[in-house]
Amino acid sequence: MDGFWSVLGGAFALVFALDPDLLEIIGLSMRVTLTAVFFACLIGLPLGAAVGVFRFPGRTFLSVTLNALMGLPPVVVGLVVYLMLSASGPFGPLRLLYTPSAMIIAQMIIVTPIVAALTRQVVEDLNREYAEQFASLGVGALDRMLSLLWDARYSLLTVALAGFGRAVAEVGAVLIVGGNINHVTRVMTTTIALETSKGNLQLALALGVVLLAIAFSVTACVMALKASAVRAAYA
């Protein structure tokens, strides 16, 4: 038990001392994750909204596919991205493998289906609720989609936060395509795995504490946004 409390105390000491190595790892993690979530939302929000509003052949298949891709195995995504970016792959000349850009691509592929599928459900439910009003006003499908995206903005922020939570905890894909290179591609999750195997439990636990703090913060933001949406609805 003394060893546990010693490690725990050392971990909190690193956090409160703002250890430079710790801050570098956290900073890279946040940059990679936020960039990946931004591009995932840029693709996933309009894609999900379009599937939720428009009627076209293959719509049901696309909806099922988006839902299925929410459970994409991260290691499979990492392997595919690795093969695409490797020297013998089609994007090898770009030299993106073992860089933060490769990690962003992998996380974006994982998060985009989540954002798109959740957006489709939110927008489709609203579209069904407002169907009669839209029909009476003669609103076209595109205008309807844009209106529903705005009306669902609080719920869609929750969707984005869900994507962020998924991305920030990712380890398998970013380890494969990033290589966990010190001062280059070492993020919180991969560092926790590495430092635990090396026996450097203080740094690993310090990063774990930060990840938990981020998880609690994301949950608090989601709850606050939901409460704000409810107040706005009855204002």
Side-chain angles (χ1 to χ4, degrees):
M1 290 296 292
D2 290 340
F4 170 78
W5 292 114
S6 175
V7 171
L8 185 62
F12 276 102
L14 286 175
V15 173
F16 290 125
L18 301 178
D19 179 75
D21 290 337
L22 187 73
L23 293 179
E24 179 186 20
I25 294 167
I26 295 170
L28 179 60
S29 295
M30 298 307 293
R31 287 197 302 274
V32 168
T33 299
L34 290 173
T35 304
V37 172
F38 172 78
F39 284 110
C41 289
L42 206 61
I43 298 170
L45 290 176
L47 174 60
V51 176
V53 172
F54 290 93
R55 297 294 181 266
F56 52 87
R59 176 180 176 273
T60 301
F61 174 77
L62 184 55
S63 298
V64 172
T65 301
L66 288 175
N67 287 332
L69 291 178
M70 290 177 68
L72 268 177
V75 290
V76 175
V77 174
L79 177 59
V80 172
V81 175
Y82 176 89
L83 293 174
M84 297 293 286
L85 299 181
S86 64
S88 58
F91 300 105
L94 298 178
R95 299 181 182 274
L96 294 177
L97 193 61
Y98 301 136
T99 67
S101 296
M103 299 160 69
I104 290 169
I105 293 170
Q107 285 194 354
M108 185 184 72
I109 292 173
I110 293 170
V111 174
T112 298
I114 297 174
V115 173
L118 294 177
T119 300
R120 181 203 63 79
Q121 187 62 60
V122 170
V123 171
E124 187 173 27
D125 290 344
L126 281 177
N127 187 44
R128 191 179 299 114
E129 181 180 344
Y130 296 146
E132 292 184 3
Q133 290 93 324
F134 285 139
S136 64
L137 295 172
V139 179
L142 181 59
D143 290 334
R144 188 185 310 174
M145 185 185 83
L146 295 176
S147 298
L148 291 174
L149 280 172
W150 174 253
D151 192 64
R153 59 192 181 279
Y154 291 107
S155 297
L156 296 180
L157 282 173
T158 303
V159 168
L161 288 173
F164 173 83
R166 178 66 183 84
V168 76
E170 171 50 36
V171 58
V174 296
L175 182 61
I176 293 173
V177 302
N180 202 21
I181 303 170
N182 196 23
H183 303 301
V184 180
T185 58
R186 190 162 292 179
V187 293
M188 286 189 284
T189 51
T190 59
T191 304
I192 289 173
L194 175 65
E195 297 302 326
T196 300
S197 67
K198 290 167 55 180
N200 187 4
L201 300 180
Q202 290 185 351
L203 179 56
L205 189 56
L207 290 168
V209 168
V210 173
L211 269 178
L212 283 174
I214 292 172
F216 277 110
S217 299
V218 169
T219 302
C221 287
V222 169
M223 294 178 66
L225 285 171
K226 286 182 178 179
S228 179
V230 171
R231 287 196 299 270
Y234 289 98

